[in-house]
Amino acid sequence: MELSESQKAITIMLVDDSVINHYLIKTLFRKQGFTNEVSCFESAEEALMQLRNSDEYSLPDVIILDINMPGMNGFDFLHEFDGLGDNIKQRCKIVMLSSSMDTADINRATSNPFVRLYLHKPINKESIGLILKAI
């Protein structure tokens, strides 16, 4: 997959409690030619705090969000995200990435107005293409 210069410069926030997934996803994006580092957060609370404290120039283009995390889960994050400023909600496109095959989870995620795409773990090269098309 050949990426345009604007696609290579996309900024990504990964919210997943697994540091192994952080490593795998960062490595996959780097191998695909992305020039920006993937910002990783192990908790939804930390990611929300980062979004609240970001100026418009440091907001991510894409938030890759896990559903099942301890404490605040992905659906809790979406609820809090709805209360953030319009500039954040318009700029940041959310992709849910989960191991959940539960139809209720999939329907709940895909019916959320902020979720552009629902993907099953593990992420792969084809997933990146789907993410780029969704944003």
Side-chain angles (χ1 to χ4, degrees), residues 23-42:
Y23 173 78
L24 294 173
I25 291 170
K26 287 170 71 167
T27 300
L28 183 59
F29 274 99
R30 188 173 46 252
K31 285 184 177 182
Q32 293 304 310
F34 284 82
T35 57
N36 285 324
E37 184 68 19
V38 177
S39 300
C40 298
F41 297 86
E42 291 182 46

Side-chain angles (χ1 to χ4, degrees), residues 96-102 106 118-123 127:
M96 298 291 285
L97 178 66
S98 181
S99 57
S100 176
M101 301 295 272
D102 185 339
I106 296 168
Y118 184 95
L119 295 172
H120 294 285
K121 289 181 182 178
I123 194 170
S127 302

Side-chain angles (χ1 to χ4, degrees), residues 65-108:
L65 179 63
D66 188 17
I67 290 178
N68 296 311
M69 296 180 282
M72 180 182 280
N73 67 29
F75 294 119
D76 297 332
F77 176 96
L78 290 172
H79 177 76
E80 293 295 319
F81 184 83
D82 188 27
L84 298 178
D86 288 339
N87 61 327
I88 296 172
K89 293 186 288 190
Q90 291 170 1
R91 168 72 185 265
C92 304
K93 312 305 186 247
I94 298 177
V95 173
M96 298 291 285
L97 178 66
S98 181
S99 57
S100 176
M101 301 295 272
D102 185 339
T103 305
D105 282 346
I106 296 168
N107 290 338
R108 185 174 176 195

